[in-house]
Amino acid sequence: MVSIISLVTGRAGPSGFGSASTAELVTEGIDASHLTVLITGGASGIGLETARVMAQHKAHVIIGARNMEAASRAKHLILKHTPSARVDVLQLDLASTRSVRAFADSFKALNLPLNVLINNAGVMFCPYQQSEDGIEMQFATNHLGHFLLTNLLLDKMKETARATGVEGRIVNLSSIAHIHTYRHAILFDDINDKKRYSDKRAYGQSKLANILHAKELSRRFQEEGVNITANAVHPGLIMTPLFRYSAISMRILKFFSSFLWKNVPQGAATTCYVALHPAMKGVTGKYFADCNEIQPSSHARDEMLARKLWDFSNKLVNSAASSKA
């Protein structure tokens, strides 16, 4: 796991970067003018910083956001920082498969290529509730919505990679919290079990799913010979709107562990590194923290679990679709 010494000192790892590196630093000198980058949850926190840095490097940035007012403010902020930035915003509620499908249709209607997909949005530690489709909210938003979105955009990414010869990249935002999940990793038998619900373990479950999703995507791409990579990242501990359900307890924790926390530019660094850096060419199915590859939990390395999650997710998505038919 990530060295505490490295976290505290910011000491660089094999990549040349570490916990103190910022998104601007790890992308210095990179020209992304030929790339279209789609970021979910790009209206605030590390998603906004990721979008800003991508736009600064001349990528065409598409922000998917549930709150369109916040997304418009984010676009304005990016344009203020980089007047020549190419930024579009589209509405996306990852807790609704209907919204995800509408978003994918809206994106395709723009007739743009798609080089980089950053599955960044999420919710954290929320009280028990179900999504519009009747799925436990953290699993629905953090994993299932991104699973469906990625599948709906895969043909576009494959087409872009084939036509341009430029490697496509998918980055899933996970968390070190993936190690703190339910006893059997994922509640396949009853994902909506309210009696067993733990806001922390449910979050860990969804973050484990993010890693397994990237792992299975990577396996499938390699099997197909597709020029797209898929990786997962842990951004670090950052005080962002994600903590709205546990703001007081998190501030207390931060007070006693301030040396472990990052600011937002540092929190966006690993995402930007994995999405843009030339050193990441051909690297796939891995897990990164502080811009360096690290080993995730044993569950996160389980190929059979990854395949089982893929099939389970497909069933949930198909069930949601049939119920609305």
Side-chain angles (χ1 to χ4, degrees):
M1 286 301 169
V2 182
S3 165
I4 294 295
I5 295 176
S6 296
L7 279 171
V8 175
T9 64
R11 186 176 64 192
S15 69
F17 304 110
S19 63
S21 300
T22 64
E24 288 194 4
L25 176 64
V26 305
T27 55
E28 188 175 358
I30 295 175
D31 178 10
S33 59
H34 59 301
L35 301 178
T36 299
V37 180
L38 195 161
I39 306 170
T40 68
S44 64
I46 59 176
L48 172 54
E49 177 66 2
T50 300
R52 185 190 71 78
V53 170
M54 295 287 170
Q56 180 178 291
H57 286 276
K58 302 180 181 179
H60 187 168
V61 176
I62 312 296
I63 293 175
R66 185 174 55 83
N67 185 330
M68 289 302 286
E69 287 186 13
S72 295
R73 289 194 297 271
K75 179 178 179 177
H76 178 74
L77 186 152
I78 292 170
L79 289 170
K80 184 177 180 180
H81 185 270
T82 307
S84 61
R86 294 174 292 161
V87 185
D88 290 298
V89 297
L90 296 173
Q91 189 158 35
L92 171 64
D93 180 358
L94 286 158
S96 163
T97 56
R98 178 173 52 188
S99 175
V100 172
R101 292 182 187 279
F103 173 87
D105 288 342
S106 295
F107 174 77
K108 291 173 185 176
L110 295 175
N111 198 30
L112 292 170
L114 181 57
N115 304 95
V116 179
L117 172 60
I118 301 175
N119 291 320
N120 166 84
V123 294
M124 185 182 200
F125 302 163
C126 58
Y128 182 85
Q129 54 189 299
Q130 292 187 6
S131 70
E132 176 184 295
D133 302 296
I135 307 297
E136 186 274 307
M137 186 61 78
Q138 295 194 77
F139 189 82
T141 304
N142 299 350
H143 167 65
L144 198 64
H146 283 127
F147 173 84
L148 175 59
L149 177 64
T150 302
N151 280 356
L152 293 173
L153 298 177
L154 275 185
D155 284 345
K156 173 62 72 174
M157 291 198 73
K158 291 176 182 178
E159 175 189 314
T160 300
R162 189 166 49 244
T164 64
V166 177
E167 178 183 85
R169 296 184 182 182
I170 297 174
V171 183
N172 282 359
L173 270 284
S174 182
S175 169
I176 195 71
H178 79 273
I179 65 175
H180 185 66
T181 183
Y182 294 103
R183 181 180 177 186
H184 298 296
I186 293 174
L187 298 178
F188 291 116
D189 295 331
D190 195 351
I191 198 70
N192 293 327
D193 190 341
K194 187 173 183 179
K195 291 182 179 179
R196 295 171 64 186
Y197 182 75
S198 157
D199 58 352
K200 308 299 186 297
R201 291 188 186 277
Y203 180 70
Q205 172 180 248
S206 71
K207 295 292 100 178
L208 171 61
N210 294 148
I211 301 177
L212 292 170
H213 178 216
K215 187 175 186 67
E216 179 62 7
L217 277 170
S218 176
R219 186 191 70 79
R220 288 168 177 259
F221 292 153
Q222 290 178 305
E223 192 175 79
E224 293 177 44
V226 176
N227 189 24
I228 303 173
T229 64
N231 293 288
V233 304
H234 165 56
L237 285 171
I238 311 107
M239 187 62 77
T240 71
L242 263 186
F243 285 109
R244 61 184 173 272
Y245 291 109
S246 53
I248 296 176
S249 60
M250 285 300 107
R251 285 194 175 93
I252 294 172
L253 174 61
K254 186 176 181 182
F255 178 80
F256 290 105
S257 59
S258 58
F259 59 90
L260 296 177
W261 291 69
K262 295 182 178 183
N263 56 39
V264 170
Q266 292 169 339
T270 304
T271 301
C272 290
Y273 175 80
V274 173
L276 285 189
H277 204 281
M280 285 297 300
K281 183 174 176 59
V283 179
T284 188
K286 306 299 183 183
Y287 175 61
F288 291 81
D290 298 336
C291 301
N292 288 278
E293 182 186 340
I294 65 169
Q295 182 170 280
S297 71
S298 58
H299 285 314
R301 303 193 305 273
D302 188 331
E303 291 188 7
M304 293 308 296
L305 186 62
R307 295 187 191 199
K308 185 175 182 179
L309 174 65
W310 184 281
D311 293 339
F312 178 68
S313 302
N314 260 332
K315 288 179 182 178
L316 290 178
V317 166
N318 292 337
S319 176
S322 63
S323 68
K324 294 174 182 176

